[in-house]
């Protein structure tokens, strides 16, 4: 019991640190990047679709971190096989698809911007595709975890 509590506490600390990092990116780094772009290229608004996608990914990832924190809390309280943990898994899975959506929008924006400016978007697009692959793997893992949990809850509905 103590080892499980220690490991979930460790994971909660890691989730909290990720949350601080995402908060710092949203508050400090992204606005600074927008400010530098405005100074370098006044009147050019090509960065704004990418900023919208970046903020969308950051906000969605924050929701994922919150749901994962809740899931770890359910595991700590021995409610791993409950309707609440199933709802958290479903929310995380929906967020993975939202992140994939924003990454696809980012790729489309990069392609449009590269057509206008003549720049080569191969690097950012390949990184976005790697992000889509990683997020798809996480969505598949969540689906694999969700199905047995749903079956357990259907067999034993009193376990809420």
């Amino acid at each position: 019991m103590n080892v499980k509590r220690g490991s979930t506490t460790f994971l909660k600390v890691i989730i909290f640190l990720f949350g601080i990092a995402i908060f710092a990116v949203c508050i400090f780094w992204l606005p600074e990047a927008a400010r530098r772009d405005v100074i370098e290229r006044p009147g050019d608004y090509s960065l704004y679709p990418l900023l919208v996608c970046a903020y969308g990914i950051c906000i969605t990832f924050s929701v994922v971190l919150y749901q994962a924190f809740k899931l770890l809390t359910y595991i700590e309280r021995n409610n791993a096989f409950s309707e609440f943990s199933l709802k958290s898994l479903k929310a995380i899975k929906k967020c993975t698809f939202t992140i994939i959506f924003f990454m696809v929008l980012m790729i489309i924006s990069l392609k449009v911007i590269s057509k206008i400016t003549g720049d080569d978007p191969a690097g950012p697009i390949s990184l976005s595709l790697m992000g889509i692959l990683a997020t798809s793997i996480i969505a598949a893992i969540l689906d694999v975890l969700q199905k047995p949990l749903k079956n357990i809850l259907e067999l034993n509905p009193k376990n809420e």
Side-chain angles (χ1 to χ4, degrees), residues 8-119:
T8 54
T9 303
F10 174 73
L11 289 174
K12 283 182 173 182
V13 168
I14 297 298
I15 288 172
F16 182 74
L17 292 175
F18 267 113
I20 290 173
I22 292 296
F23 181 73
V25 165
C26 287
I27 298 299
F28 300 113
W29 189 77
L30 288 175
E32 179 63 25
R35 188 188 67 77
R36 277 186 274 132
D37 188 60
V38 167
I39 290 171
E40 289 176 15
R41 295 184 294 244
D44 182 18
Y45 303 109
S46 61
L47 183 69
Y48 293 136
L50 300 176
L51 281 173
V52 168
C53 292
Y55 273 112
I57 290 170
C58 286
I59 291 168
T60 308
F61 192 70
S62 297
V63 172
V64 167
L65 291 177
Y66 173 71
Q67 292 296 329
F69 194 87
K70 279 177 44 176
L71 187 61
L72 286 172
T73 303
Y74 298 144
I75 291 170
E76 265 185 357
R77 296 180 183 164
N78 291 327
N79 287 333
F81 300 106
S82 67
E83 187 69 32
F84 301 119
S85 59
L86 183 64
K87 286 180 183 178
S88 289
L89 286 174
K90 285 181 182 179
I92 294 171
K93 193 167 123 183
K94 287 178 185 177
C95 287
T96 58
F97 292 124
T98 306
I99 289 173
I100 290 171
F101 171 75
F102 279 120
M103 286 188 181
V104 169
L105 279 178
M106 193 177 298
I107 289 172
I108 292 168
S109 297
L110 284 169
K111 290 297 283 181
V112 169
I113 292 168
S114 70
K115 291 289 183 186
I116 295 170
T117 62
D119 291 337

Side-chain angles (χ1 to χ4, degrees), residues 125-151:
I125 287 178
S126 64
L127 287 174
S128 297
L129 290 174
M130 284 186 246
I132 288 173
L133 176 66
T135 308
S136 300
I137 290 170
I138 292 170
I141 291 170
L142 288 170
D143 193 47
V144 167
L145 290 173
Q146 194 176 346
K147 285 182 182 179
L149 185 59
K150 193 182 292 185
N151 290 339

